[in-house]
Amino acid sequence: MRVMVMVKATKNSEADAKPTLELLEAMGKYNEELIKAGVMLAGDGLRASSMGKRVRFTGNGGKKTVLDGPFAETKELVAGYWIWQVKSMDEAVEWVRRCPDPMPDEESEIEIRPLFEAEDFAEQFAPESRARAAEVYSDVARAAKA
């Protein structure tokens, strides 16, 4: 199963505070462990929401509105992420337990959520649509490795 592991934002990450050298080195070692174990598929830190945008959809094919950051409710924002391939949610939790504290000197959270897989939509997708979706994801994976 694939999961997205999200490091939730904090006051300091929203202030675009840079991590210490010690934290960068600890995270680097942790990422190396994830890669060697075949768990980590992707991951990165995100800049503060003040540098971001949101596009709001009104529904029913309505207009789209672009909103500039920063965005309120820091606890609802994401400061970084990984995409992992794990056997179970329990395995993902065990990996997170080994993670260096991503926000030293602040209370922080890491959220783990399973990603949808093509087979989750078996009833909605015709076989040719599933095949096309698999092809597109393969192209994306090849491009990411290039």
Side-chain angles (χ1 to χ4, degrees):
M1 84 185 292
R2 290 179 310 144
V3 295
M4 177 175 248
V5 180
M6 295 168 278
V7 177
K8 299 308 258 288
T10 63
K11 182 179 175 185
N12 284 336
S13 70
E14 277 299 289
D16 215 29
K18 305 301 183 277
T20 64
L21 177 60
E22 293 80 16
L23 180 56
L24 286 173
E25 288 176 349
M27 281 295 184
K29 288 178 185 175
Y30 179 66
N31 286 337
E32 286 176 20
E33 287 180 46
L34 291 165
I35 292 165
K36 284 179 186 173
V39 170
M40 185 173 164
L41 302 177
D44 242 316
L46 301 174
R47 300 293 301 259
S49 71
S50 61
M51 298 177 186
K53 304 244 184 224
R54 287 185 179 170
V55 179
R56 179 172 291 146
F57 294 76
T58 60
N60 295 328
K63 78 175 197 177
K64 296 160 187 78
T65 305
V66 177
L67 307 168
D68 294 325
F71 306 115
E73 294 300 324
T74 300
K75 65 182 180 176
E76 300 299 326
L77 299 174
V78 176
Y81 73 95
W82 289 278
I83 303 291
W84 292 348
Q85 179 73 49
V86 292
K87 294 178 185 80
S88 66
M89 188 60 82
D90 288 341
E91 180 186 1
V93 169
E94 287 308 311
W95 276 106
V96 170
R97 288 181 188 275
R98 295 170 58 183
C99 182
D101 182 349
M103 305 291 178
D105 304 319
E106 290 185 280
E107 186 173 308
S108 62
E109 287 185 0
I110 294 180
E111 180 178 340
I112 308 166
R113 299 212 5 225
L115 297 178
F116 278 114
E117 303 291 351
E119 56 269 13
D120 295 325
F121 301 105
E123 291 180 18
Q124 291 87 353
F125 269 156
E128 57 276 0
S129 296
R130 277 197 302 271
R132 179 65 188 132
E135 196 176 298
V136 168
Y137 284 118
S138 279
D139 291 347
V140 170
R142 273 194 298 281
K145 290 180 183 178

